Amino acid sequence: MASARSDRRISADHIPVKLVIAGPFGVGKTTIVGALSEIEPLNTEEVLTQAGTLVDDLTGVNEKTTTTTAIDFGRLTLPGVVLYLFGAPGQTRFQVLWDELVRGALGVLVLADTRRIDDSFAVLDLVENAGIRYAVAVNHFPDSPQYPPEALRQALDLDPRTPLLVCDARDPASARASLIALVEHIRELVLS
Amino acid sequence: MTSGRQRRRVVPDYMAAARLSVPEHISVERTTLVSIAADADAGGLDPPASHLLALLRDEPLSVYECAAHLGLPYCVVRLLVAGLVGNGTLLTRDPPPSDLPDIEILELVLSGLRAL
Ligand SMILES: Nc1nc2c(ncn2[C@@H]2O[C@H](COP(=O)(O)OP(=O)(O)OP(=O)(O)O)[C@@H](O)[C@H]2O)c(=O)[nH]1
Ligand SMILES: [Mg+2]
C-alpha cells in the first residue's frame, strides 16, 4: 500500500472515476472497499433528514429530524485515472443518498449473499431504477449455500448478459477481478 | 437539492470566515478532483480555506477526502471548494458523464486494474 505511493501520485490531469459497491446489511461492503483501497478507507456518516432528503445546508437543521448512515470510501490510483469507490447501503429508505452516489458513477458492483438472497432485491431495484450498469458478485461465506449459477441468476432475475461472479471480499485479487468483470461488461455494453 | 419550500439564502459562517460568496451553480460533487490553480494567490486566506490549501499542496484530492481530512461535513466543503473555484484559487475536474462512458477511459481503468 504505502510503498506504492510514489508511483501512485495523483496529478491534476488524472480523470476521476466513481464506482459504487452496493449491497444489503453485512454483505461485505466495508471489507471489499478496504481490500481495494490504497488509502485507509474513510468511513463517514452522511446526514439525512427523516423525510429522506440529503442535507446540503447545515443551517437550520434540527438534530432530531436527522439520521445518519455509514458510507465507505476508498481510492485506487491507476495511470491516468483515479478510482473512487463508495460502499453504499442498499436499503430503499436511502433512496436520496443513493441517487446522489450513483450520479456520475461508471457502474455499480452489487454484492449478494446466498444465505440471504432476498436481501439483494432492494439493491437490484435501486440499480435498475437508476438505469446504471452493474455486475453482481456473490460474496462467499463459510456457511453460504452453494447454488448453480443458473439457479442464482434465476433467483435474482438477472439479464443473461449481466456478469455474475463469486468473490472473496477480503482478497484484493478477487475484489479486483470483480471490478475488472464489471468494467469489461460496461465496455461491451458501450461497444454494442 | 430541492427542499419543497423556498429557502432564504444565508451565507454560512465558514464561507463568511473565508470571505467567499456562495456561487449560484455548483457542479462540485464528492468525487470532483480538486487542485490548486497555478496562479493561485494563497496569501490572505482565512481558515478553513487556508487549511484546505495546505492539504492540497501535496497532491490533488477528491472533495470527499478534503472533507474527511478537514473534519468538516461534505456539504460544507463542497461549498467551500465552489467558493474557492469562483475566486480562482482552486481548479476542479469532475468525473466524466457516465451515460455514455468514454471507451478510452474504460481501457485505462481495465489496463490499470490488470497491471496491479
Ligand atoms: N468468510 C468471509 N467473511 C467475510 C467476507 N467478506 C466480509 N466478511 C466478514 O463479514 C462481516 C461483515 O462484513 P462488512 O464488510 O462489515 O459488511 P458491510 O456490508 O460493510 O456491513 P454493513 O456496513 O453493516 O452493512 C465482517 O465480519 C467481515 O469480516 C468474505 O468474503 N468471506
Ligand atoms: Mg459496512
Side-chain angles (χ1 to χ4, degrees):
Chain A
M1 277 216 265
S3 60
R5 172 116 176 135
S6 54
D7 44 281
R8 284 196 174 170
R9 280 201 77 79
I10 300 176
S11 76
D13 296 331
H14 269 79
I15 300 162
V17 170
K18 175 154 82 167
L19 290 169
V20 174
I21 296 168
F25 180 72
V27 74
K29 302 178 294 290
T30 302
T31 307
I32 199 169
V33 170
L36 289 164
S37 182
E38 70 196 5
I39 57 167
E40 197 59 48
L42 304 171
N43 290 87
T44 53
E45 297 275 299
E46 292 278 338
V47 186
L48 295 126
T49 63
Q50 230 150 46
T53 50
L54 256 192
V55 177
D56 66 341
D57 181 351
L58 290 186
T59 42
V61 173
N62 181 341
E63 266 181 51
K64 285 194 191 125
T65 65
T66 61
T67 159
T68 58
T69 177
I71 297 282
D72 305 298
F73 178 91
R75 184 181 89 188
L76 194 50
T77 309
L78 305 173
V81 287
V82 51
L83 304 187
Y84 292 119
L85 310 161
F86 284 96
Q91 288 85 352
T92 32
R93 67 194 171 97
F94 299 131
Q95 179 80 49
V96 174
L97 173 65
W98 174 264
D99 289 344
E100 267 218 32
L101 285 184
V102 300
R103 193 181 309 138
L106 189 62
V108 177
L109 184 67
V110 175
L111 288 185
D113 180 344
T114 54
R115 298 169 303 179
R116 297 171 294 135
I117 275 291
D118 294 8
D119 288 4
S120 299
F121 294 162
V123 190
L124 289 169
D125 281 347
L126 284 169
V127 265
E128 276 164 13
N129 290 341
I132 191 148
R133 299 169 180 92
Y134 69 97
V136 178
V138 171
N139 193 21
H140 198 75
F141 292 85
D143 54 338
S144 297
Q146 301 258 20
Y147 295 111
E150 269 324 302
L152 273 177
R153 268 186 189 284
Q154 210 162 23
L156 293 168
D157 194 20
L158 295 184
D159 184 287
R161 289 187 302 175
T162 303
L164 176 65
L165 312 132
V166 176
C167 83
D168 183 331
R170 299 162 301 179
D171 173 16
S174 173
R176 276 199 300 271
S178 304
L179 283 193
I180 290 171
L182 168 65
V183 180
E184 277 177 341
H185 173 58
I186 295 169
R187 183 181 56 179
E188 270 167 38
L189 291 178
V190 170
L191 289 176
S192 67
Chain B
M1 213 70 298
T2 46
S3 72
R5 71 194 141 86
Q6 208 52 38
R7 208 193 278 130
R8 194 159 50 90
R9 217 181 237 299
V10 278
V11 177
D13 289 351
Y14 48 87
M15 295 298 275
R19 283 177 280 128
L20 296 167
S21 55
V22 183
E24 274 302 314
H25 300 285
I26 302 171
S27 76
V28 176
E29 61 107 9
R30 289 174 177 73
T31 53
T32 297
L33 190 60
V34 188
S35 57
I36 303 175
D39 55 354
D41 179 10
L45 288 173
D46 292 322
S50 60
H51 293 161
L52 180 58
L53 252 73
L55 196 61
L56 294 169
R57 206 146 284 142
D58 205 27
E59 66 180 333
L61 288 173
S62 65
V63 175
Y64 210 70
E65 287 166 283
C66 294
H69 291 310
L70 292 173
L72 292 171
Y74 155 71
C75 49
V76 166
V77 176
R78 175 172 180 263
L79 291 185
L80 187 62
V81 168
L84 289 165
V85 169
N87 76 4
T89 309
L90 297 181
L91 298 176
T92 55
R93 181 152 195 172
D94 289 323
S98 58
D99 37 324
L100 193 63
D102 185 331
I103 203 77
E104 280 177 36
I105 295 174
L106 291 171
E107 296 291 357
L108 276 175
V109 174
L110 283 173
S111 59
L113 283 173
R114 289 195 182 110
L116 282 177

